Amino acid sequence: MDRYVVFGNPIGHSKSPMIHKLFAEQTGQSLDYSTLLAPLDDFSGCATAFFQDGRGANVTVPFKEDAYRLANSLTARAERAGAVNTLSKLADGTLLGDNTDGAGLVRDLTVNAGFSLTGKRVLLLGAGGAVRGALEPLLAEKPASVIIANRTVDKAELLAELFCDLGPVSASGYDWLREPVDVIINATSASLTGDVPPIATSLIEAGKTLCYDMMYGKEPTAFCRWASEHGAGVVMDGLGMLAEQAAEAFFLWRGVRPDTAPVLAELRRQLAL
Ligand code: ATR
């Protein structure tokens, strides 16, 4: 049976094996998908050993940049992201690195929520790997503007410079912004500690602005609660992005696009338990 894994450290609570098992059942694909705890100091050795007979792998924290370096070739979006979350063994035995995180986010917004990003004013909160991975797929939707706001403004400026050839990107501090936007995407890790980036509530146009947190949890995240309390038109967490980035990886490996709706419903059901 074709073997796939997700590399991470820690990796015990990964939902990826469950997601890919459901995708495989749904599409009639025969494959084995499990977790693989890679040592912090030897991702490369662990991945090379796996790929002696393994077909593909997802890569999560903290190995996405190691996977970027390990890949023999890269998709354009992985090259831009500077990080790889999906490795695929090609027919000639070499490893292709892809990054499906941003595509997963865009698909959750445009397909699952039916929200077109074209011509919209988009505000991204944060300037870490999550934002870097999202920028190319977001800009490909031709928004009117993308503002990257971050606590450490230098990091936002660096990303804006890196992506400005792809569209209208600019950088900002949190407290410089006042005018309403169409979409606010929280890609900071602030929700982990129950914090919300200190942005003005005037950025939300009541009943209209879509607020998206890349994080998710059993209860609404701090950012989702903040958005609801201030009248956001739509509030979403990142569970859909998780399912969609996995579906993109599955499509890359198997050439079949699974239906994410029943898998997302199952993820939501299990999260509530
Ligand atoms: P990831 O790869 O998940 O993006 P990261 O590269 O560590 O993780 O980036 C975390 C992001 O969350 C950064 O933008 C960080 O802001 P700084 O660059 O200023 O450190 C942001 N962040 C983390 N905790 C935060 C908080 N409490 N308030 C605001 N921003 C926060």
Side-chain angles (χ1 to χ4, degrees):
M1 214 187 276
D2 291 343
R3 281 184 67 218
Y4 297 85
V5 292
V6 54
F7 290 105
N9 190 332
I11 197 61
H13 293 102
S14 171
K15 301 188 194 315
S16 293
M18 195 268 274
I19 295 173
H20 284 280
K21 183 171 167 283
L22 292 174
F23 286 164
E25 281 170 11
Q26 184 199 97
T27 57
Q29 296 279 311
S30 172
L31 58 88
D32 180 68
Y33 189 113
S34 54
T35 57
L36 215 167
L37 179 76
L40 289 172
D41 60 354
D42 193 22
F43 168 78
S44 161
C46 185
T48 304
F50 166 74
F51 275 110
Q52 292 301 312
D53 71 334
R55 293 288 299 271
N58 285 127
V59 182
T60 188
V61 181
F63 299 124
K64 290 184 187 183
E65 282 156 23
D66 296 273
Y68 174 86
R69 286 188 290 272
L70 182 73
N72 304 106
S73 57
L74 294 163
T75 61
R77 61 194 184 187
E79 178 82 62
R80 281 279 179 172
V84 157
N85 79 335
T86 305
L87 286 164
S88 191
K89 191 167 165 181
L90 302 179
D92 65 1
T94 61
L95 293 181
L96 171 68
D98 193 5
N99 190 315
T100 65
D101 287 330
L105 167 72
V106 166
R107 231 183 131 80
D108 197 28
L109 286 166
T110 57
V111 179
N112 297 346
F115 185 90
S116 168
L117 290 159
T118 309
K120 300 287 169 37
R121 296 158 299 178
V122 179
L123 172 61
L124 276 169
L125 307 178
V131 167
R132 188 165 169 170
L135 276 166
E136 190 201 297
L138 272 177
L139 288 164
E141 297 296 305
K142 304 262 178 281
S145 60
V146 173
I147 303 170
I148 308 166
N150 197 42
R151 186 170 59 183
T152 315
V153 182
D154 291 5
K155 282 163 73 180
E157 281 170 350
L158 214 65
L159 281 187
E161 271 170 40
L162 217 55
F163 284 85
C164 65
D165 60 316
L166 296 182
V169 205
S170 60
S172 175
Y174 288 133
D175 51 359
W176 310 349
L177 302 166
R178 291 287 176 272
E179 296 297 311
V181 293
D182 300 302
V183 189
I184 307 176
I185 299 168
N186 181 29
T188 70
S189 41
S191 285
L192 288 176
T193 47
D195 295 318
V196 178
I199 54 170
T201 54
S202 60
L203 291 167
I204 293 180
E205 190 171 338
K208 189 159 174 254
T209 300
L210 184 151
C211 289
Y212 193 105
D213 197 344
M214 287 194 188
M215 299 265 160
Y216 58 84
K218 185 173 178 174
E219 307 294 336
T221 66
F223 177 76
C224 287
R225 286 200 308 276
W226 174 87
S228 299
E229 280 160 17
H230 294 96
V234 182
V235 178
M236 298 172 72
D237 71 9
L239 203 63
M241 178 177 170
L242 175 74
E244 294 299 337
Q245 63 76 30
E248 284 284 324
F250 193 89
F251 178 66
L252 182 79
W253 294 328
R254 312 299 297 185
V256 190
R257 190 173 281 285
D259 177 9
T260 51
V263 177
L264 188 50
E266 177 60 17
L267 281 169
R268 191 69 72 190
R269 192 186 70 78
Q270 292 200 7
L271 203 59
L273 293 177

